[in-house]
Amino acid sequence: MTVGYDRSWVAPHECRIATLACGFADGYARDNSSRGRVGIRGGNFTVAGKVCMDQLMVYLGPTAAEEEEEAGEAWGLATSGGGGGGVGGGLAGLSAAEVASLRQRAFKQSGNLAKLEAKIEQAELEAAELDASMLQWGSDAGKVLELMAAKEKVDARVAELYASWEETEELVALFPDL
């Protein structure tokens, strides 16, 4: 039995193959063809053949050794070597529909990283200006307290922006081809 485009994977014996509705269009790199790993029911299986645009096949082992897989079974993806070019544990255990939904969200959010960076830079400049103003008004306790309250709000905004930026960067990193 052969699997994949160009019959790129040849079964070593009679075996079971699972077809998963996830492929390189969903962020699983083609570099993982015939070597990427997929987790199903706690087992760790090898991708069989080339990763297709919207599906991939997985070698489950000899027919007698595996029980029937149920439709809709949760599965997770991993890259073959842990290096770039694929997705890692961030998608482990997600269904194909969940991966597709995350990919769509990542695509929409990928353009927001530069905007978030600009907002962070602007808020940090504002915080630096408030620090300078506190030094300038050092002898006026009332004014310094007012500036400190304003700086606390700016610092909180900076923290929120960084959290949003990190979340967005983490999401976009799951799909390096975006």
Side-chain angles (χ1 to χ4, degrees):
M1 168 192 335
T2 60
V3 175
Y5 296 127
D6 302 325
R7 298 177 170 199
S8 58
W9 185 85
V10 179
H13 44 73
E14 188 175 327
C15 65
R16 295 184 53 79
I17 299 291
T19 302
L20 304 180
C22 179
F24 61 80
D26 300 303
Y28 195 67
R30 269 193 109 177
D31 293 348
N32 292 307
S33 296
S34 295
R35 60 187 179 146
R37 306 296 290 177
V38 177
I40 301 174
R41 287 191 179 168
N44 196 4
F45 302 96
T46 304
V47 172
K50 293 184 180 174
V51 174
C52 304
M53 181 175 75
D54 58 0
Q55 66 184 5
L56 58 96
M57 282 59 71
V58 179
Y59 170 66
L60 298 177
T63 55
E66 295 298 326
E67 52 186 74
E68 195 70 33
E69 293 298 325
E70 297 175 16
E73 177 75 33
W75 45 269
L77 303 173
T79 60
S80 58
V87 295
L91 300 177
L94 298 180
S95 70
E98 290 168 321
V99 171
S101 176
L102 274 177
R103 179 179 173 71
Q104 186 176 31
R105 188 169 142 222
F107 178 75
K108 289 177 182 176
Q109 293 295 321
S110 62
N112 288 342
L113 284 172
K115 293 174 188 173
L116 284 168
E117 289 171 357
K119 286 180 181 180
I120 289 169
E121 186 176 328
Q122 181 181 4
E124 287 177 335
L125 286 172
E126 190 177 334
E129 289 172 5
L130 287 168
D131 282 336
S133 293
M134 281 189 271
L135 289 173
Q136 182 182 358
W137 290 90
S139 60
D140 185 344
K143 184 67 172 177
V144 170
L145 287 174
E146 179 184 318
L147 291 168
M148 286 176 65
K151 182 156 186 312
E152 283 181 21
K153 289 179 182 178
V154 171
D155 287 343
R157 192 170 77 230
V158 168
E160 288 174 12
L161 287 167
Y162 268 117
S164 180
W165 181 82
E166 288 173 359
E167 181 181 318
T168 302
E169 185 179 57
E170 189 175 302
L171 176 64
V172 171
L174 291 173
F175 303 97
D177 60 322
L178 293 179

